[in-house]
Amino acid sequence: MQLPAGIPKIRARLAGARAVTVLTGAGISADSGVPTFRGAEGLWRDHRAEELATPEAFARNPRLVWEWYNWRRELIATKIPNAAHHALVELEQRIERFWLITQNVDGLHPAAGSRKLSEIHGNIWKVRCTQCRQVQENRAVPIPMLPLCPACDGLLRPHIVWFGESLDPDDLDRSMAAVSSCEVLLIIGTSGVVYPAASFAALARQAGAFVAEINLDPAPNPQIVDLTIGGRAAEVVPALL
Ligand code: BJW
Ligand code: ZN
């Protein structure tokens, strides 16, 4: 395979960097077989994620929302991390100050071994009680309907950040600090339309970082990115090391 021309430039930046932050989106897991949100496979029974991933949708029809999550849990349970997830674990071990911010809820980064990590939109293998707010790991596939809290009998919901909900303040603070203090920001496999993650590239660049994007189908955004590489995450990311 002929490597894209930008790879040596990113390699050189990474080789000289003490602080590196990485932001990932659904595109990195697409190479493990997990469908992206805004791609052709992003629909479930004709519903878009925007219609199901809201507190209002859950209040209206918790069974429908849980059925969607059960479908995704079944699918994700069969998937494993790919070469891009593994390469980021290696990068974490090489770089003095490293932080990985993922929008993905599939748990494939921790499964690969990433530890310096914020899962800013939550994790599909955790549930939270709508009454007592206790968070628990739950790997049942499928989860029995409707799942109730063992402590208080309240309705359980996915421990995921839906549209209109705030991110965990500690995760957000940690991520903003990593974005505004890094020398290199790598943005891998995200459409960059969902906030606050969509603002991270501009924030890093304002703070003087070199910002590089890896995307199968990159959108033109030269104002906020120094370098774009068009390609599959599982091929490009390992080649950066
Ligand atoms: C490949 C590839 C391969 C394919 N290799 N690449 C400011 C302005 C406007 C609106 C807002 C704003 N601030 C907040 C909002 C509201 C809202 C928002 O951003 N709306 C926008 C859509 C306009 N944000 C929020 O509500 C957030 N909360 C918040 O900010 O609280 C405070 C607040 C609230 C309200 C108003 C103001 C402030 C919370 C957002 C949580 C989103 N969560 C979701 C759903 C989770 C459900 C679940 O997973 O179960 O998280 S949305 C969905 O999109 C999911 C993803 O993490 C997220 C990002 O998607 P991602 O990863 O980019 O995927 P895709 O599919 O879009 O893109 C894949 C990319 O990969 C593509 O580019 C492909 O080309 C590429 N690709 N294969 C490399 N092999
Ligand atoms: Zn409870």
Side-chain angles (χ1 to χ4, degrees), residues 128-134 148-156:
R128 185 169 80 237
C129 177
T130 54
Q131 298 298 318
C132 72
R133 302 193 157 267
Q134 211 178 92
L148 299 179
C149 173
C152 80
D153 254 6
L155 178 61
L156 294 175

Side-chain angles (χ1 to χ4, degrees), residues 26 31 37-38 69 72 103 121 161 164-165 190-191 195 215 233:
D31 286 334
F37 287 91
R38 291 164 188 87
Y69 278 99
R72 291 175 58 209
Q103 300 169 86
H121 291 166
V161 183
E165 295 186 320
T190 174
S191 56
Y195 286 84
N215 195 301

Side-chain angles (χ1 to χ4, degrees), residues 25-27 30-31 36-38 53 68-69 72 103-105 121 160-167 189-196 215-217 231-233:
D31 286 334
T36 61
F37 287 91
R38 291 164 188 87
W68 179 49
Y69 278 99
R72 291 175 58 209
Q103 300 169 86
N104 299 343
V105 302
H121 291 166
I160 284 184
V161 183
W162 287 329
F163 284 111
E165 295 186 320
S166 299
L167 278 66
T190 174
S191 56
V193 297
V194 175
Y195 286 84
N215 195 301
L216 187 58
D217 186 15
R232 291 193 168 280

Side-chain angles (χ1 to χ4, degrees), residues 17 28 63 74 83 90 97 129 140 155 161 163 202 228-229 237 241:
I28 194 168
R63 187 172 288 271
E74 261 173 55
E90 197 181 324
R97 285 200 293 125
C129 177
L155 178 61
V161 183
F163 284 111
T228 299
I229 295 184
V237 180
L241 302 185

Side-chain angles (χ1 to χ4, degrees), residues 93-183:
Q93 286 156 4
R94 278 195 202 177
I95 302 286
E96 203 177 306
R97 285 200 293 125
F98 176 90
W99 201 254
L100 172 58
I101 304 162
T102 187
Q103 300 169 86
N104 299 343
V105 302
D106 53 35
L108 291 182
H109 284 301
S114 287
R115 294 294 171 260
K116 295 182 176 174
L117 166 74
S118 298
E119 294 178 295
I120 58 171
H121 291 166
N123 185 302
I124 200 162
W125 302 115
K126 291 181 182 168
V127 295
R128 185 169 80 237
C129 177
T130 54
Q131 298 298 318
C132 72
R133 302 193 157 267
Q134 211 178 92
V135 176
Q136 291 161 1
E137 187 171 315
N138 182 315
R139 292 194 171 257
V141 174
I143 211 163
M145 294 277 216
L146 280 167
L148 299 179
C149 173
C152 80
D153 254 6
L155 178 61
L156 294 175
R157 58 164 278 178
H159 185 51
I160 284 184
V161 183
W162 287 329
F163 284 111
E165 295 186 320
S166 299
L167 278 66
D168 176 88
D170 293 339
D171 277 346
L172 188 58
D173 287 354
R174 184 72 194 75
S175 300
M176 300 284 261
V179 165
S180 51
S181 67
C182 64
E183 294 154 46

Side-chain angles (χ1 to χ4, degrees), residues 15 40 43-44 92 225:
L43 285 180
W44 173 76
E92 170 179 323
V225 171

